[in-house]
């Protein structure tokens, strides 16, 4: 089908958020209130922090402030891949923290296990399926690079099945696949918006006070409290956990460590039984290809296909604007790639198209810290893999605020910060050069040019 025709009726909104299950907004904050812990941000970071703070100490008075609606941003727009990795994959973790990689893998797997238990214990209806992820190669150079990491992954306890061309196509039938791996335990598929709404309800059931449509404009440090100033009120809190992602940071230091990158996705109409059978996909894994500019895709509960990735767009100057959430050039490109991957679905149309901004840092994985004399903790920089890792980050923030050393806070990965991005306009020039170089690498058997090799040596990165 012509991509323009296939996209003609697609709604310009995130599929997950376009749901009758979306709860009514909670009241804004009016006036002054106090709390033991104030959580800023109603995405996964903030929701997990508030929930686990109450689970650790039910007597704690916790308030959560969200500037718009719970789950409206990255937490409700992503692909719904809850990954075990805390380091954006074993290879990235091994390169940066080789002495800690076994511990980081163990903690990441435990974190995903605990996420699944929370979903079950609180009865959160988010389509949780621990089906794992297929890592597929479409070019020989990709397969060679992938195979290098399998032995290490297995030594670290990961269950990886190596699949040749026939076996990978028996799992998901695409003529583009030449081989791949099935990471059995490292990924769960879910509906991210329903997870956010379920965590919201779990927080409320434990006594967390949540105020939506209540943006925090300023943090004021006083001898007696941390004061969070909002348009119509103030929270005076003993401690603060900051989970605002890439949006205008309340801490100046974060502006140099984060950049906003836009990611885009499409959702198909539900597949008929015949169409689904032509693809196979009986084990319902998430799928990601191994190119530098990679695609990620998965089935929904009603057998639609979410198809996203490839273009990671940085708008010069680091601006965040609602109009950037729609990019027809990328949507057409994604549709073309979908039909190339699944020619048997050439008559399938798309019902939704959307984009959203993610918080990217130079090391690809989250970083953590304290400010204001240890009374404010933050976690940011998940670079697109925050569905699972935000739960770990929330535990790190609570550990840091508690002041007692833990296994988590002792990690070098937690204690260190990523390298800062340069100021504008050098930042924009460097990122655009990196995007061009990544695309060129995909066209030339993965060979990285001098620019990318220099960034590798410096420990800097920009992921597609």
């Amino acid at each position: 089908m012509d991509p323009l025709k296939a996209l003609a009726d697609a709604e310009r909104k995130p599929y997950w958020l376009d749901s009758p299950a979306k709860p009514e907004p909670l009241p804004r904050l009016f006036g002054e209130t106090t709390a033991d812990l104030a959580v800023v941000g109603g995405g996964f970071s903030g929701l997990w922090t508030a929930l686990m703070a109450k689970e650790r100490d039910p007597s704690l008075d916790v308030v959560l402030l969200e500037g718009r609606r719970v789950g409206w941003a990255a937490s409700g727009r992503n692909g719904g891949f809850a990954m075990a990795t805390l380091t954006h994959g074993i290879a990235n973790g091994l390169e940066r923290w080789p002495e800690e990689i076994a511990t980081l893998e163990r903690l990441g797997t435990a974190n995903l296990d605990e996420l699944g238990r929370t979903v079950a214990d609180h009865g959160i209806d988010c389509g949780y399926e621990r089906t794992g992820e297929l890592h597929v190669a479409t070019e020989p150079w990709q397969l060679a690079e992938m195979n290098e990491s399998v032995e290490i992954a297995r030594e670290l306890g990961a269950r990886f099945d190596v699949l040749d061309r026939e076996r990978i196509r028996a799992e998901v039938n695409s003529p583009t696949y030449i081989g791949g791996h099935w990471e059995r335990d490292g990924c769960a598929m879910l509906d991210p918006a329903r997870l956010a709404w379920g965590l919201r309800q779990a927080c409320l059931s434990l006594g967390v006070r949540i105020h939506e449509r209540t943006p925090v404009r300023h943090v004021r440090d006083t001898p007696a409290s941390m004061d969070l100033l909002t348009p119509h009120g103030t929270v005076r809190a003993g401690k603060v956990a900051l989970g605002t992602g890439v949006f205008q940071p309340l801490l100046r230091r974060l502006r140099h460590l984060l950049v906003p990158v836009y990611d885009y996705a499409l959702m198909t109409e539900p597949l008929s039984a015949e169409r689904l059978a032509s693809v196979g996909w009986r084990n319902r894994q998430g799928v990601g290809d191994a190119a530098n500019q990679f695609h990620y895709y998965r089935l929904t509960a009603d057998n639609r296909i979410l198809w996203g990735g490839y273009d990671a767009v940085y708008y010069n100057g680091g601006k965040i604007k609602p109009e950037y959430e729609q990019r027809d050039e990328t949507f057409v490109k994604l549709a073309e790639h979908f039909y190339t991957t699944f020619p048997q679905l050439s008559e399938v149309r798309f019902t939704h198209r959307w984009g959203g901004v993610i918080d990217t840092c130079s090391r690809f994985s989250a970083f953590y810290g304290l400010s204001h004399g240890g009374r404010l903790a933050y976690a940011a920089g998940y670079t697109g893999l925050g569905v699972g890792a935000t739960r770990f980050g929330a535990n790190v923030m609570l550990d840091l605020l508690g002041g007692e050393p833990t296994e988590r806070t002792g990690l070098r990965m937690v204690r260190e910060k990523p390298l800062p991005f340069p100021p504008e306009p050098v930042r924009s020039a460097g990122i655009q050069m990196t995007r061009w170089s990544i695309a060129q690498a995909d066209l030339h058997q993965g060979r990285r040019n001098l620019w990318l090799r220099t960034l590798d040596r410096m420990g800097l990165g920009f992921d597609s």
Side-chain angles (χ1 to χ4, degrees):
M1 184 182 297
D2 176 71
L4 291 175
K5 182 179 179 181
L7 290 162
D9 299 323
E11 297 274 4
R12 293 183 179 273
K13 62 179 71 170
Y15 168 77
W16 308 115
L17 297 173
D18 186 21
S19 168
K22 186 175 184 177
E24 291 297 313
L26 293 164
R28 291 179 171 87
L29 174 67
F30 293 103
E32 185 176 301
T33 189
T34 62
D36 297 317
L37 173 67
V39 179
V40 185
F44 289 140
S45 284
L47 291 165
W48 282 117
T49 304
L51 179 64
M52 293 192 296
K54 290 293 286 186
E55 289 176 339
R56 290 185 180 198
D57 182 359
S59 69
L60 204 67
D61 184 16
V62 180
V63 63
L64 185 151
L65 305 175
E66 163 53 43
R68 294 179 63 173
R69 299 285 299 280
V70 163
W72 76 274
S75 296
R77 297 168 186 255
N78 63 80
F81 287 62
M83 308 291 291
T85 181
L86 305 174
T87 61
H88 213 97
I90 289 175
N92 189 53
L94 190 62
E95 179 181 345
R96 299 179 188 280
W97 308 286
E99 77 283 4
E100 292 182 348
I101 190 63
T103 299
L104 291 167
E105 288 295 300
R106 172 177 56 80
L107 291 173
T109 298
N111 179 67
L112 186 57
D113 292 342
E114 291 157 4
L115 187 156
R117 283 195 289 272
T118 298
V119 167
D121 290 347
H122 288 277
I124 298 175
D125 179 15
C126 64
Y128 182 92
E129 298 179 288
R130 187 84 172 259
T131 54
E133 182 179 11
L134 291 177
H135 305 272
V136 301
T138 60
E139 299 285 347
W141 67 267
Q142 298 169 10
L143 195 58
E145 289 190 0
M146 291 167 65
N147 286 335
E148 289 180 5
S149 64
V150 170
E151 185 175 348
I152 293 174
R154 286 173 168 170
E155 288 178 11
L156 293 172
R159 284 205 303 157
F160 270 80
D161 293 349
V162 177
L163 307 177
D164 61 17
R165 182 191 304 261
E166 288 71 29
R167 290 181 66 198
I168 196 79
R169 294 183 182 182
E171 292 297 330
V172 178
N173 183 21
S174 170
T176 65
Y177 298 169
I178 64 169
H181 308 145
W182 183 357
E183 186 179 0
R184 288 278 188 164
D185 304 316
C187 181
M189 308 311 302
L190 51 81
D191 179 326
R194 286 179 179 264
L195 175 61
W197 299 333
L199 291 174
R200 171 188 187 263
Q201 182 56 44
C203 285
L204 293 172
S205 71
L206 295 184
V208 176
R209 292 177 289 143
I210 299 177
H211 296 283
E212 294 182 286
R213 298 171 296 177
T214 304
V216 176
R217 301 298 192 198
H218 183 64
V219 177
R220 185 173 61 203
D221 189 358
T222 75
S225 64
M226 296 288 293
D227 295 351
L228 304 181
L229 310 182
T230 76
H232 308 292
T234 300
V235 177
R236 301 190 186 280
K239 296 179 179 179
V240 174
L242 192 61
T244 52
V246 76
F247 293 99
Q248 186 67 32
L250 295 168
L251 287 178
R252 186 177 298 274
R253 70 186 67 172
L254 299 181
R255 298 176 185 177
H256 308 294
L257 300 176
L258 297 170
V259 296
V261 175
Y262 278 82
D263 181 47
Y264 297 91
L266 303 175
M267 186 70 82
T268 72
E269 62 189 336
L271 301 187
S272 66
E274 181 180 5
R275 284 174 169 168
L276 183 59
S278 73
V279 180
W281 222 336
R282 292 179 298 277
N283 291 307
R284 301 181 62 82
Q285 308 96 325
V287 184
D289 65 52
N292 290 298
Q293 290 183 289
F294 64 90
H295 307 86
Y296 57 85
Y297 40 111
R298 48 80 55 97
L299 291 171
T300 65
D302 60 350
N303 292 328
R304 301 169 185 263
I305 297 177
L306 179 144
W307 180 263
Y310 191 79
D311 271 347
V313 181
Y314 177 79
Y315 293 92
N316 287 344
K319 297 180 178 62
I320 298 175
K321 296 181 178 180
E323 53 263 38
Y324 293 161
E325 295 167 9
Q326 295 292 321
R327 193 170 190 263
D328 287 346
E329 174 188 354
T330 293
F331 295 142
V332 170
K333 189 183 301 181
L334 284 173
E336 291 171 345
H337 294 176
F338 175 84
Y339 294 130
T340 298
T341 302
F342 296 122
Q344 66 270 49
L345 302 180
S346 61
E347 297 304 311
V348 169
R349 302 173 70 93
F350 300 97
T351 62
H352 293 76
R353 48 181 157 178
W354 73 95
V357 65
I358 61 176
D359 55 338
T360 298
C361 70
S362 62
R363 73 184 199 184
F364 299 138
S365 55
F367 61 92
Y368 320 89
L370 283 170
S371 179
H372 294 77
R375 293 196 289 175
L376 184 148
Y378 58 85
Y382 291 95
T383 316
L385 289 187
V387 178
T390 46
R391 186 187 180 281
F392 178 84
N395 263 323
V396 170
M397 286 195 284
L398 292 172
D399 288 350
L400 291 171
L401 290 171
E404 294 294 328
T406 68
E407 183 179 31
R408 285 180 287 257
T409 60
L411 293 166
R412 187 162 65 88
M413 189 268 279
V414 169
R415 292 184 283 107
E416 294 179 344
K417 302 293 185 294
L419 290 173
F421 291 97
E424 295 289 3
V426 177
R427 178 183 297 189
S428 290
I431 289 176
Q432 301 306 354
M433 179 59 146
T434 305
R435 293 184 66 235
W436 178 84
S437 297
I438 286 171
Q440 290 300 302
D442 281 337
L443 295 174
H444 295 90
Q445 292 77 51
R447 289 193 295 270
R448 298 172 76 79
N449 63 16
L450 178 60
W451 177 257
L452 292 180
R453 295 197 304 272
T454 301
L455 293 181
D456 291 341
R457 287 193 293 270
M458 296 172 63
L460 289 165
F462 181 86
D463 197 10
S464 75

